């Protein structure tokens, strides 16, 4: 725990009982000794979550809790929210209500276009999670295994945030331009998350992490005269005369304009090389298909900042080299974060299997000219890459798998 005082405040009407005090004490002792990985055993209903809450409260580090499905994640999120009402407890899962991935079946010459329905509420929770991780130390994020999927570079997410303070000189139109660059959309009629509207000499912003408040920026000429937080429901003032406020981007998949231009040059270069490769193989159909699709995507990105399937070009915008791991939620956490893997006997195998399943589908798209090879780098982490990002880990299970048992035993010899 170190000398710093824990920022967490655990609120519970009862104290640890039975074997819980012993387990909590042992886990904390191991954390202080520098033990990297350990296991918490316990049958269902034995109070493992409450024991972990005590460990989190006393250890005092940002914590990521990973589970193998959304339902369990929601349950744990609710429990931790009740135990830590004054701290930042966040929920991070896939934002799709429905998802059909892009695929190609060469045996039938059948291309299946990606189709998905994004849940705006879940996307709000994801933005709230990354915002809290970057701004606070008293944060607990409960996440599904979607935490190992590409999320966009945290460096770009931080770089594109908008910091406003009272008395700041910024052109009215310049602020509107910045909001558009951050992915916000103007909507003067239906106020919703990640939008802004113009009200006379004021700009009202509904931030990406909330659909309950409005940030009202009032101007006097080109100077910010007043900043207020209003309730989105009834426009009551939540906070008045704010000195400083941060507006975070509306999407995690953004990059500064110079980075975008550099990325487009790299995409065009790789496109020329790949088309030439197909033609050298005598595969004119694939060459023409790839040229048309990618050229269209380049034009859309240049004009609108995005395109359908833009995640397939994430490597270029992140500045990664071929084969390098994507940025994920894990990269948003500080180096000293604590990872708790619940139901580890199910969660670990799921993390291990994700990369191969994703790659086998995309190889067909690349092989037959539907995507550039860079699409292979829009992927979840390999299991070995996931392990390299870990700092302190607690595996939680009533029946831990052989892998966890062997790994913990080897590290604690």
């Amino acid at each position: 725990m170190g000398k710093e005082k824990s920022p967490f405040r655990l609120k519970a009407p009862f104290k640890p009982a039975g074997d819980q005090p012993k387990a909590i004490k042992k886990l904390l002792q191991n954390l202080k000794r520098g033990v990297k990985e350990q296991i918490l055993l316990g049958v269902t209903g034995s109070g493992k979550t409450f024991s972990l809450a005590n460990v989190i409260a006393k250890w005092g580090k940002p914590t990521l809790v990973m589970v193998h499905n959304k339902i369990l994640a929601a349950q744990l999120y609710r429990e931790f929210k009740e135990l830590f009402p004054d701290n930042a407890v966040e929920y991070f899962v896939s934002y799709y209500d429905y998802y059909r991935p892009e695929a190609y079946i060469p045996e039938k010459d059948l291309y299946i276009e990606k189709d998905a329905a994004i849940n705006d509420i879940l996307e709000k929770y994801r933005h709230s999670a990354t915002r809290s991780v970057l701004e606070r130390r008293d944060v607990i994020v409960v996440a599904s295994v979607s935490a190992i999927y590409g999320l966009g570079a945290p460096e770009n997410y931080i770089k594109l945030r908008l910091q406003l303070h009272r008395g700041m000189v910024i052109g009215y139109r310049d602020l509107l331009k910045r909001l558009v660059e951050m992915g916000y959309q103007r909507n003067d009629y239906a106020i919703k998350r990640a939008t802004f509207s113009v009200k006379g000499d004021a700009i009202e912003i509904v931030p990406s992490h909330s659909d309950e408040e409005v940030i009202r920026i009032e101007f006097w000429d080109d100077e910010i005269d007043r900043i207020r937080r209003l309730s989105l429901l009834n426009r009551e003032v939540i906070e008045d005369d704010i000195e400083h406020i941060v507006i975070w981007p509306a999407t995690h998949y953004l990059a500064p304009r110079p980075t975008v231009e550099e990325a487009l040059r790299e995409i065009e270069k790789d496109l020329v090389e790949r088309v030439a490769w197909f033609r050298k193989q005598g595969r004119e159909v694939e060459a023409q298909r790839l040229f048309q699709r990618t050229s269209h995507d380049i034009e859309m990105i240049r004009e609108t900042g995005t395109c359908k399937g833009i995640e397939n070009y994430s490597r270029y915008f992140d500045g990664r080299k071929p084969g390098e791991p994507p940025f994920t939620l894990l990269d948003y956490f500080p180096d000293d974060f604590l990872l708790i893997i619940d139901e580890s006997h199910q969660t670990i195998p799921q993390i291990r299997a994700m990369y191969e399943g994703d790659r086998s589908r995309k190889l067909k798209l690349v092989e037959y000219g539907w995507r550039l090879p860079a699409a292979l780098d829009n992927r979840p982490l390999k299991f070995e890459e996931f392990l390299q990002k870990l700092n302190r880990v607690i595996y939680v299970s009533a029946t831990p798998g052989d892998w966890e048992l062997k790994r913990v035993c080897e590290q604690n010899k």
Side-chain angles (χ1 to χ4, degrees):
M1 182 170 144
K3 295 181 180 178
E4 65 181 75
K5 185 178 180 182
S6 172
F8 292 101
R9 297 291 173 266
L10 175 61
K11 295 188 177 181
F14 44 83
K15 294 183 178 180
D19 291 332
Q20 291 176 339
K22 183 179 177 181
I24 294 166
K25 183 179 179 181
K26 187 64 175 176
L27 289 168
L28 285 168
Q29 284 177 345
N30 287 339
L31 287 171
K32 291 173 185 177
R33 284 196 302 113
V35 174
K36 190 170 182 180
E37 299 177 42
Q38 49 188 320
I39 296 174
L40 174 61
L41 285 166
V43 298
T44 302
S46 62
K48 295 192 295 292
T49 302
F50 184 58
S51 296
L52 291 169
N54 277 270
V55 171
I56 292 169
K58 292 176 181 177
W59 182 239
K61 308 292 185 184
T63 301
L64 172 61
V65 183
M66 282 185 66
V67 296
H68 59 91
N69 64 50
K70 287 183 178 181
I71 296 173
L72 183 55
Q75 178 185 328
L76 286 173
Y77 167 70
R78 185 174 64 250
E79 291 176 6
F80 280 120
K81 194 85 171 170
E82 291 173 356
L83 291 168
F84 295 97
D86 299 329
N87 302 117
V89 179
E90 305 289 355
Y91 182 58
F92 188 97
V93 297
S94 168
Y95 52 38
Y96 293 116
D97 278 338
Y98 165 74
Y99 181 69
R100 185 186 67 196
E102 182 182 35
Y104 179 65
I105 305 173
E107 295 81 5
K108 299 181 179 179
D109 191 24
L110 176 63
Y111 171 72
I112 302 170
E113 193 170 5
K114 173 184 171 182
D115 188 18
I118 293 178
N119 186 312
D120 191 68
I121 295 174
L122 295 180
E123 188 172 19
K124 175 192 74 173
Y125 282 133
R126 287 165 67 92
H127 278 283
S128 181
T130 50
R131 167 180 173 264
S132 292
V133 168
L134 293 172
E135 287 187 342
R136 306 174 64 159
R137 292 283 294 173
D138 63 329
V139 59
I140 302 168
V141 179
V142 181
S144 67
V145 289
S146 66
I148 71 166
Y149 269 84
L151 189 60
E155 180 184 349
N156 290 338
Y157 192 67
I158 294 170
K159 191 180 293 184
L160 285 166
R161 65 183 171 173
L162 179 60
Q163 302 195 60
L164 303 173
H165 57 84
R166 191 166 58 182
M168 178 179 178
V169 177
I170 180 172
Y172 190 83
R173 292 187 179 277
D174 291 338
L175 178 54
L176 296 178
K177 182 180 178 182
R178 280 293 310 277
L179 289 170
V180 172
E181 289 174 350
M182 292 165 62
Y184 284 79
Q185 296 183 348
R186 179 168 178 174
N187 194 327
D188 293 329
Y189 307 103
I191 301 176
K192 58 183 182 179
R193 190 187 66 81
T195 63
F196 66 91
S197 58
V198 177
K199 309 286 186 184
D201 290 333
I203 297 173
E204 295 188 346
I205 307 162
V206 184
S208 59
H209 67 271
S210 175
D211 55 6
E212 298 175 355
E213 65 182 36
V214 176
I215 309 299
R216 182 177 171 87
I217 313 297
E218 299 177 4
F219 281 83
W220 178 262
D221 198 15
D222 280 344
E223 181 178 318
I224 295 178
D225 184 52
R226 193 180 194 185
I227 304 174
R228 294 193 289 171
R229 287 174 60 231
L230 311 176
S231 167
L232 188 63
L233 180 64
N234 54 24
R235 297 190 64 78
E236 285 187 1
V237 177
I238 300 172
E239 189 177 1
D240 204 356
D241 292 326
I242 298 170
E243 286 293 331
H244 175 264
I245 199 163
V246 178
I247 309 296
W248 290 89
T251 172
H252 292 101
Y253 306 99
L254 277 180
R257 192 66 203 180
T259 303
V260 172
E261 291 298 334
E262 177 61 29
L264 291 176
R265 285 192 290 270
E266 287 294 316
I267 295 171
E268 289 172 336
K269 175 175 170 289
D270 287 354
L271 174 60
V272 170
E273 291 178 358
R274 187 65 175 172
V275 167
W277 183 86
F278 274 127
R279 286 181 172 151
K280 189 176 180 180
Q281 304 291 320
R283 300 171 65 180
E284 186 62 36
V285 172
E286 287 85 352
Q288 190 64 22
R289 176 190 291 153
L290 183 65
F291 180 80
Q292 288 181 342
R293 285 174 58 85
T294 309
S295 295
H296 177 263
D297 288 346
I298 290 170
E299 191 63 28
M300 289 296 293
I301 294 170
R302 183 166 279 129
E303 295 300 322
T304 68
T306 189
C307 73
K308 198 168 185 178
I310 192 171
E311 64 274 6
N312 290 290
Y313 305 104
S314 60
R315 169 164 67 76
Y316 300 102
F317 299 108
D318 293 345
R320 290 183 283 131
K321 296 177 181 177
E324 284 189 341
F327 294 103
T328 67
L329 177 63
L330 297 166
D331 295 293
Y332 284 69
F333 276 86
D335 292 338
D336 64 347
F337 81 102
L338 172 65
L339 174 64
I340 296 172
I341 302 182
D342 199 20
E343 300 293 343
S344 61
H345 61 287
Q346 294 188 61
T347 308
I348 290 294
Q350 191 169 346
I351 294 171
R352 190 194 292 272
M354 282 183 148
Y355 171 75
E356 291 299 338
D358 181 82
R359 183 174 176 82
S360 63
R361 174 177 58 82
K362 285 181 179 156
L363 277 172
K364 290 284 191 295
L365 293 168
V366 171
E367 183 182 350
Y368 289 91
W370 297 98
R371 290 291 174 191
L372 285 172
L376 296 172
D377 291 315
N378 167 43
R379 59 176 177 82
L381 293 174
K382 298 176 184 176
F383 191 58
E384 297 74 21
E385 293 168 344
F386 169 73
L387 296 179
Q388 289 172 5
K389 293 180 179 291
L390 306 185
N391 171 47
R392 298 279 192 275
V393 187
I394 299 175
Y395 303 104
V396 184
S397 176
T399 56
D402 293 339
W403 182 87
E404 302 99 286
L405 291 169
K406 182 179 178 183
R407 188 171 175 88
V408 170
C409 287
E410 287 179 349
Q411 293 197 13
N412 290 279
K413 283 181 179 178

